[in-house]
């Protein structure tokens, strides 16, 4: 576990929890919880080949025991403690990267409203991100409005910029790219004002992404390259991977597959290093669809099946359905019509359950196979 977590002893020292001192804690039930914190942080040894969530199980159990005795500062310190790996991330950010959204929502809700407004602003913003990733846009919007209201109240410009950027992403996901650009320009203004360099990098990338969808590909590349320069300077490996993928999207839409493939591969390399499950599923999907466009169907199938596995793992059902549609298209081109029909039927069921209408292209493909 040493390659992922700092030692339990160092965490306990950071929290100010001493194994001798806890003997005098009263009442007994409270002492029992503190003893459990020590045991989980020092004695829990996950198996080498276990899942990421099991590798941090000691941290998570210690967090819950601290919450039981209302040691909110210590519990919060557990959640935002550094994890040492290829990138330095706090535990709650690492759970985002790994795709454990339900677990993260539970952790955030346990400490929401326990300390101060600044922490609540962060937690509400994070809960908005979680529910956006869980495809519950209404709930995401409500959390972001609460976060923004508190940020305005406390004149927290850093947080105001972050929330505005997330609202921009929300509007982009709903297909309102002009509104997305407006929100991200506001986010950029607050990021610069609060000297939030990472927020500036994200806003520039999101503006580029929206321009990509509007067909302004050269402008998209211009904004994304500004973002890429900042990501590499900070450095922010996750941000770098995301913006490399978006530049790849621009070149793909401009009909330059070799350029697109190069940027996608750079992005995928970083996502594999950083264990960014959401990003990995996305870039594998984009590579697969690029290969469909240049009629390399067997290569495309390999990437799309890998994307499907990731997206099912992190329960991204809409994206799972999108990937199934693309795999169905490959089988259609390979004249494997039964397999194609099976994939399309699965995708249509998911889209129907989510209340998402099929795109024009998907409707055409469905018509060819299911008529």
């Amino acid at each position: 576990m040493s390659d992922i977590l700092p030692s339990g002893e160092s965490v306990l020292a950071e929290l100010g929890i001493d194994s001798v001192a806890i003997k005098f804690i009263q009442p007994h039930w409270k002492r029992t919880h503190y003893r459990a914190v020590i045991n989980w942080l020092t004695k829990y040894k996950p198996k080498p080949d276990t899942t990421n969530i099991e590798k941090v199980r000691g941290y998570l159990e210690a967090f819950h025991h601290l919450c039981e005795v209302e040691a909110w500062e210590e519990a919060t310190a557990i959640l935002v403690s550094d994890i040492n790996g290829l990138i330095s991330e706090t535990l709650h950010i690492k759970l985002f990267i790994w795709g454990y959204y339900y677990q993260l929502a539970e952790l955030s809700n346990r400490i929401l409203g326990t300390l101060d407004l600044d922490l609540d602003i962060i937690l509400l913003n994070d809960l908005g991100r979680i529910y956006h990733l869980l495809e519950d846009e209404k709930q995401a919007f409500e959390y972001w409005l609460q976060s923004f209201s508190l940020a305005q109240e406390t004149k927290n410009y850093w947080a105001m910029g972050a929330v505005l950027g997330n609202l921009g992403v929300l509007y982009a996901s709903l297909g309102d790219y002009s509104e997305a650009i407006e929100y991200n320009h506001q986010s950029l203004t607050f990021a610069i004002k609060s000297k939030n360099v990472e927020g500036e990098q994200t806003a520039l990338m999101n503006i580029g992404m929206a321009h990509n969808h509007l067909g302004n590909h050269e402008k998209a590349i211009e904004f994304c390259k500004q973002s890429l320069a900042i990501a590499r300077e900070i450095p922010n490996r996750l941000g770098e991977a995301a913006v490399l993928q978006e530049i790849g999207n621009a070149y793909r839409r401009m009909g330059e597959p070799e350029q697109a493939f190069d940027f996608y591969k750079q992005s995928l390399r970083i996502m594999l290093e950083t264990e960014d499950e959401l990003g990995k599923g996305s870039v594998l999907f984009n590579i697969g669809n690029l290969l469909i466009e240049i009629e390399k169907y067997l290569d495309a199938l390999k990437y799309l099946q890998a994307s499907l596995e990731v997206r099912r793992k992190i329960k991204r059902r809409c994206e799972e359905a999108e990937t199934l549609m693309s795999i169905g298209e490959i089988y259609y081109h390979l004249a494997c019509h039964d397999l194609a029909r099976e994939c399309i039927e699965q995708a249509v069921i998911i889209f129907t359950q989510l209340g998402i209408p099929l795109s024009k292209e998907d409707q055409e493909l469905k018509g060819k196979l299911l008529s």
Side-chain angles (χ1 to χ4, degrees), residues 203-338:
L204 287 165
M205 180 188 69
N206 287 338
I207 293 169
M209 187 184 301
H211 277 297
N212 238 345
H213 284 286
L214 290 172
N216 306 324
H217 305 310
E218 291 184 359
K219 185 173 280 192
I221 290 172
E222 178 186 334
F223 278 104
C224 285
K225 286 192 172 177
Q226 292 179 55
S227 176
L228 181 61
I230 295 172
R232 285 174 169 167
E233 183 181 348
I234 299 176
N236 176 2
R237 295 282 280 164
L238 291 172
E240 181 182 356
V243 77
L244 283 167
Q245 178 175 198
E246 196 55 38
I247 295 172
N249 289 339
Y251 280 115
R252 178 180 155 205
R253 288 168 179 156
M254 292 169 70
E256 299 185 32
E258 290 184 7
Q259 282 271 62
F261 191 72
D262 179 58
F263 279 100
Y264 284 153
K265 292 290 280 188
Q266 291 180 61
S267 176
L268 179 59
R269 192 157 47 243
I270 297 171
M271 287 170 178
L272 291 170
E273 290 172 2
T274 57
E275 300 181 293
D276 180 358
E277 295 296 307
L278 181 65
K280 185 169 67 174
S282 176
V283 76
L284 287 166
F285 175 78
N286 283 326
I287 292 173
N289 279 286
L290 172 64
L291 292 168
I292 290 175
E293 290 166 11
I294 59 176
E295 300 181 3
K296 294 187 176 181
Y297 300 122
L298 293 178
D299 289 336
L301 184 61
K302 177 178 67 175
Y303 281 100
L304 286 166
Q305 285 175 334
S307 175
L308 182 63
E309 181 180 345
V310 172
R311 288 173 160 183
R312 281 176 168 166
K313 175 183 173 184
I314 61 175
K315 298 178 174 62
R316 295 286 288 169
R317 298 201 71 218
C318 177
E319 292 169 358
E320 176 188 348
E322 290 174 347
T323 311
L324 284 165
M325 291 297 296
S326 292
I327 293 173
E329 183 179 353
I330 291 172
Y331 283 132
Y332 172 76
H333 287 297
L334 295 174
C336 300
H337 293 143
D338 287 343

Side-chain angles (χ1 to χ4, degrees), residues 100 165 177 298 321 335:
Y100 294 110
Y177 302 112
L298 293 178

Side-chain angles (χ1 to χ4, degrees), residues 9-28:
E9 289 77 6
S10 67
V11 174
L12 290 169
E14 195 73 29
L15 297 176
I17 297 175
D18 179 76
S19 59
V20 175
I22 68 164
K23 294 178 182 178
F24 305 101
I25 291 176
Q26 294 294 337
H28 179 266

